[in-house]
Amino acid sequence: MTQPRLIEPGAVYLITRRVLHRYHLFAPDPRMNRIFLYTLAVAAARAGVLVHSAVLMSTHEHLVVSDPEGRLPEFLHYLHRHVALATKVLRRWDGAVWDHEPTNVVELRTPAAVAEKIAYAMANPVAAALVRRAHEWPGVTTRPQDLGRAAWRIDRPSEYFTRDDERWPPNVVLRLEMPRAAHELGMSDDEFRAVVSQELEAQEATARSEVGERGGAFLGADRCAKLSPFRRARSEEPARSLVPTFATGRGNRDALIAAAERVRAFRLAYRHAFESWRRGRRDVPFPAGTWLLRRQHGALVAPTRSAA
């Protein structure tokens, strides 16, 4: 049995999912950018998810979102299904779009982790040796000044999204909401944008240094915009290790320990409840944060404890 995922209302997440075999199916062009942003806006509105940052690389996505209603799995299923179907139409692609690995979902447990991971997503095109500065990336990206300000109006793409289907409005607006981390840190919105900007500059500088040490060169925005979606990335990719389920930011040891204990307690309670469920007991309560069994089988779930 795979480890159960803890889903609680109000959580903030870094989302990553990769294209099958590292094909450049999401290579940046206006049509691909519009498909992704349109679907993201529809999926977020449908599930009540707040989008803070969105970066679409040619081989994967990075999102930072808040989940006020505890409906993240619904959001991800809807987003990834329709992005894949629209991409298949756009690219005339026969086969799977997404990697067979599950979506990487990392809960951001502290305000510092939120700022660091937003900057991490923004810096990804630099870390991949594509452009020297994050803002040069020609695909979907987010800049620090977009946080809490950007409101992108996206017209319905002509590919896949039929006009006579009420699910697909003629246009949508995707707002990049300011994460609550700004207020938890006692900062104004502008102060939080400055923190993210400083973190981004540091990560960009580190990435440029690492590219130089490898003797590499940056592809450049113009060549990125001409990437063939039918070619595979040839750069070395580190072997996949254990996938983290949470992040607490640098130096937050106490928060790290508390987050680990929280996950362990949830998994232990879930395991005990699941064993009773397998024995036929349908009155056993699963721990707060159980999503799949509650949604698909109507399992009882203990109420979420209010914060102290």
Side-chain angles (χ1 to χ4, degrees):
M1 182 178 69
T2 59
Q3 293 285 10
R5 180 181 290 172
L6 173 58
I7 300 293
E8 288 187 314
V12 185
Y13 300 98
L14 170 67
I15 307 296
T16 304
R17 195 170 187 187
R18 301 181 183 279
V19 171
L20 184 69
H21 300 319
R22 302 179 73 203
Y23 280 101
H24 292 289
L25 289 178
F26 299 152
D29 65 59
R31 295 179 300 168
M32 187 67 244
N33 294 350
R34 185 165 66 170
I35 283 172
F36 185 77
L37 289 174
Y38 180 88
T39 314
L40 177 59
V42 173
R46 185 175 184 271
V49 163
L50 304 179
V51 179
H52 307 305
S53 176
V55 177
L56 185 65
M57 302 290 288
S58 60
T59 62
H60 60 281
E61 69 173 2
H62 286 303
L63 301 171
V64 178
V65 304
S66 292
D67 182 25
E69 300 177 22
R71 298 169 63 189
L72 183 76
E74 178 184 342
F75 164 74
L76 293 177
H77 174 77
Y78 198 85
L79 172 68
H80 292 152
R81 170 177 167 76
H82 293 294
V83 165
L85 291 173
T87 300
K88 286 162 71 74
V89 173
L90 173 66
R91 303 303 192 199
R92 298 183 181 181
W93 181 256
D94 183 18
V97 169
W98 296 108
D99 193 332
H100 298 311
E101 294 290 328
T103 304
N104 186 355
V105 177
V106 179
E107 185 181 358
L108 308 180
R109 293 291 299 165
T110 67
V114 174
E116 288 175 18
K117 294 305 183 184
I118 287 176
Y120 162 80
M122 293 176 178
N124 217 243
V126 184
L130 297 172
V131 291
R132 292 188 60 84
R133 298 278 183 180
H135 67 82
E136 297 171 358
W137 174 242
V140 173
T141 191
T142 304
R143 303 166 301 171
Q145 57 265 39
D146 293 330
L147 297 172
R149 285 182 175 148
W152 298 327
R153 182 182 182 277
I154 310 110
D155 293 332
R156 179 178 53 217
S158 58
E159 301 85 4
Y160 173 69
F161 302 95
T162 56
R163 294 184 179 182
D164 57 354
D165 190 328
E166 63 182 12
R167 291 177 300 173
W168 314 125
N171 54 73
V172 294
V173 175
L174 177 63
R175 301 183 186 280
L176 296 186
E177 305 288 350
M178 178 62 67
R180 68 172 187 269
H183 305 294
E184 290 174 348
L185 289 169
M187 294 180 174
S188 68
D189 290 354
D190 282 338
E191 288 171 333
F192 186 77
R193 293 183 191 105
V195 167
V196 173
S197 181
Q198 293 167 6
E199 179 68 27
L200 172 60
E201 290 176 3
Q203 293 196 30
E204 286 179 319
T206 298
R208 286 192 293 270
S209 176
E210 291 175 351
V211 171
E213 289 173 1
R214 297 195 302 266
F218 290 91
L219 192 62
D222 290 342
R223 293 179 66 187
C224 287
K226 297 175 182 177
L227 284 169
S228 168
F230 309 112
R231 299 187 65 178
R232 295 170 61 177
R234 291 180 293 178
S235 59
E236 292 185 8
E237 185 176 48
R240 297 184 185 181
S241 56
L242 292 176
V243 178
T245 59
F246 59 85
T248 58
R250 293 186 294 272
N252 289 319
R253 179 173 174 78
D254 290 345
L256 180 67
I257 294 172
E261 288 295 335
R262 172 176 173 265
V263 171
R264 279 195 290 267
F266 169 77
R267 289 176 175 173
L268 181 61
Y270 183 98
R271 190 178 306 119
H272 290 162
F274 189 74
E275 288 301 320
S276 296
W277 178 275
R278 289 182 60 184
R279 292 194 295 268
R281 286 192 57 186
R282 293 297 182 261
D283 60 344
V284 59
F286 282 78
T290 299
W291 193 88
L292 186 62
L293 276 174
R294 174 181 61 82
R295 183 63 179 260
Q296 292 190 353
H297 302 288
L300 297 177
V301 175
T304 302
R305 289 180 294 179
S306 59

